[in-house]
Amino acid sequence: MQKHFMNFWIYVYPFPALYYFFQHWSGVHGTDFAWFLILVPVLYGYIMPGIAVNVLKKWKFNTPFRIGNYYAHHGFKISGNMNTSFFLVSFATVLYPLTWAQMATLTIACGCVQGFLVWYHDTLLIKLGKLELSNVLVTAKMSPEEKAYSYAPECFFVLGASFALSALIALQYPEVSLAIKIGLGYLFVATTTSVAFGVLEWRAKRRRA
């Protein structure tokens, strides 16, 4: 049952989900905002995991339909997950204009949802043998739950929160070109998540020193 559920989540869900989210946000806030929400995590999902998986060899996916050690549709998979988190916390909200306090609330909420969803997602992948970790955060004696817990809650909280914040800020400045907003959004998300993972690795090395 878990295997079929994960196959659906990995290979099927991202595509109808992204179509729905694009249609929804296009109708509410226009196509520029919809493209921002789709393309920032697509770029992130191909570039950052591509470096971590295929260059730095920090983990790998043991599944069909791969480029190197990660999914051929990895960017769309990441985008589907991130847009799900953002949609769940914000679909009933006008989003514009928002106070900074409201933006902070949505940012934290999206981080919490993303952190929990991908923590569960990666725990199941490790249990099923679809994901192997080879970084300083894990040891061979750890259970799948412990391995996922070593990085997923913190890193994916930061991923979801930084994505939500970049999206909410982008929405406040309609006069800025879409390309600039997508570029800045990607850089913000990539930088914050890299720092978060780097801090976890630094702490793990210090504990074992």
Side-chain angles (χ1 to χ4, degrees):
M1 184 65 181
Q2 286 183 344
K3 181 178 179 181
H4 295 309
F5 173 70
M6 289 307 299
N7 284 337
F8 172 80
W9 192 348
I10 293 167
Y11 295 110
V12 179
Y13 175 75
F15 299 103
L18 288 177
Y19 175 79
Y20 172 79
F21 295 137
F22 185 84
Q23 294 299 319
H24 172 78
W25 292 115
S26 294
V28 177
H29 291 294
T31 55
D32 274 10
F33 185 61
W35 280 121
F36 179 95
L37 292 177
I38 301 299
L39 292 179
V40 167
V42 166
L43 287 173
Y44 173 86
Y46 276 116
I47 296 172
M48 299 307 293
I51 295 171
V53 172
N54 291 323
V55 178
L56 301 178
K57 310 294 185 182
K58 291 184 180 291
W59 61 86
K60 68 176 181 177
F61 296 92
N62 297 319
T63 56
F65 197 51
R66 290 178 303 171
I67 298 175
N69 290 320
Y70 76 163
Y71 301 106
H73 65 300
H74 205 90
F76 296 96
K77 175 179 172 294
I78 294 290
S79 188
N81 287 338
M82 291 170 68
N83 274 276
T84 297
S85 299
F86 186 74
F87 177 79
L88 288 173
V89 303
S90 64
F91 75 98
T93 307
V94 176
L95 293 184
Y96 181 82
L98 293 175
T99 66
W100 283 102
Q102 290 169 324
M103 290 173 65
T105 300
L106 289 173
T107 295
I108 293 170
C110 190
C112 289
V113 173
Q114 180 74 4
F116 175 78
L117 284 179
V118 187
W119 177 16
Y120 178 69
H121 171 278
D122 281 16
T123 299
L124 290 184
L125 283 186
I126 296 168
K127 281 184 175 181
L128 294 170
K130 294 178 179 290
L131 173 60
E132 289 184 21
L133 304 173
S134 53
N135 55 64
V136 298
L137 300 178
V138 300
T139 65
K141 295 181 180 180
M142 285 180 166
S143 67
E145 290 82 3
E146 289 172 319
K147 289 179 179 179
Y149 185 75
S150 71
Y151 68 92
E154 294 97 331
C155 288
F156 290 110
F157 171 86
V158 172
L159 178 60
S162 60
F163 173 62
L165 182 58
S166 66
L168 295 172
I169 291 174
L171 189 60
Q172 313 307 309
Y173 297 96
E175 69 277 7
V176 178
S177 76
L178 177 60
I180 290 175
K181 288 192 283 192
I182 288 174
L184 291 175
Y186 163 75
L187 287 174
F188 179 63
V189 172
T191 300
T192 53
T193 52
S194 296
V195 169
F197 192 79
V199 168
L200 292 178
E201 286 195 315
W202 174 77
R203 284 168 49 191
K205 289 175 182 176
R206 285 197 64 186
R207 285 196 299 267
R208 295 172 190 174

